[in-house]
Amino acid sequence: APSIRLSPAARSLFDEPLAIAVRGLGPRQQVTLRTSLRDETGQLFQASAYYQAGDDGELDLARCPALPGGSFSGLEPMGLLWALQPQKPFWRLVKRDVQSPFLLQLEVFEGHGERPGRLLAQAQHERAFLRDGVRRVPVREGRIRATLFLPP
């Protein structure tokens, strides 16, 4: 059965690379990969790309270019993240509470097109803004308003 392999596996910092690969596909099988996340107001952001697995049934986004027709094309290992677009026009992805991560959903569908085929695999990944152990300290001194982030 196909599976999504992420590195780091379950959680990464928002500005760190995320390696995405799909294993267990058929040789040269055509698939659609889709990412989605909801911001803190519940608005949906999505990106999708069309791919073709290699002869071994593996798809590594660092080595396989996206085919034309999705949110992007070409060799873009992080394309499914930077290409996220809002479903609501002119909405922007803004993080207000950096202490909670975004939850990214990844899905692999059979075939290409506006209406992809059956769901083959799915995974979740947290994109955090603070390393574990970092303390957030609000600063209020006279007219100064700031936030101090202290490492462990």
Side-chain angles (χ1 to χ4, degrees):
S3 64
I4 300 172
R5 188 177 187 121
L6 303 172
S7 179
R11 183 180 173 99
S12 63
L13 291 177
F14 198 77
D15 60 350
E16 287 181 332
L18 175 64
I20 303 170
V22 182
R23 299 211 161 69
L25 297 169
R28 310 202 46 82
Q29 183 176 357
Q30 293 189 340
V31 293
T32 299
L33 272 65
R34 182 172 68 193
T35 54
S36 57
L37 67 79
R38 291 194 180 272
D39 70 5
E40 292 159 325
T41 66
Q43 292 299 318
L44 180 65
F45 289 76
Q46 288 187 321
S48 64
Y50 304 146
Y51 288 96
Q52 182 172 330
D55 292 330
D56 58 359
E58 292 195 12
L59 174 63
D60 184 348
L61 273 58
R63 292 183 287 129
C64 297
L67 305 173
S71 301
F72 61 93
S73 62
L75 189 60
E76 297 286 350
M78 296 284 291
L80 287 168
L81 300 178
W82 64 252
L84 286 165
Q85 291 292 315
Q87 295 298 300
K88 186 176 185 179
F90 308 111
W91 201 260
R92 296 176 74 189
L93 185 60
V94 176
K95 188 67 172 142
R96 300 201 193 299
D97 178 12
V98 296
Q99 296 181 94
S100 66
F102 275 136
L103 184 60
L104 186 68
Q105 305 281 342
L106 292 100
E107 299 167 306
V108 180
F109 294 96
E110 197 171 52
H112 295 161
E114 286 295 316
R115 296 185 177 267
R118 69 182 171 96
L119 179 66
L120 299 174
Q122 60 185 350
Q124 290 186 344
H125 186 82
E126 287 186 355
R127 296 290 280 176
F129 288 80
L130 298 178
R131 285 199 187 282
D132 291 336
V134 171
R135 287 187 316 149
R136 182 181 181 276
V137 180
V139 176
R140 305 225 184 276
E141 186 67 38
R143 294 180 16 205
I144 296 174
R145 301 289 182 262
T147 304
L148 176 64
F149 294 92
L150 294 172

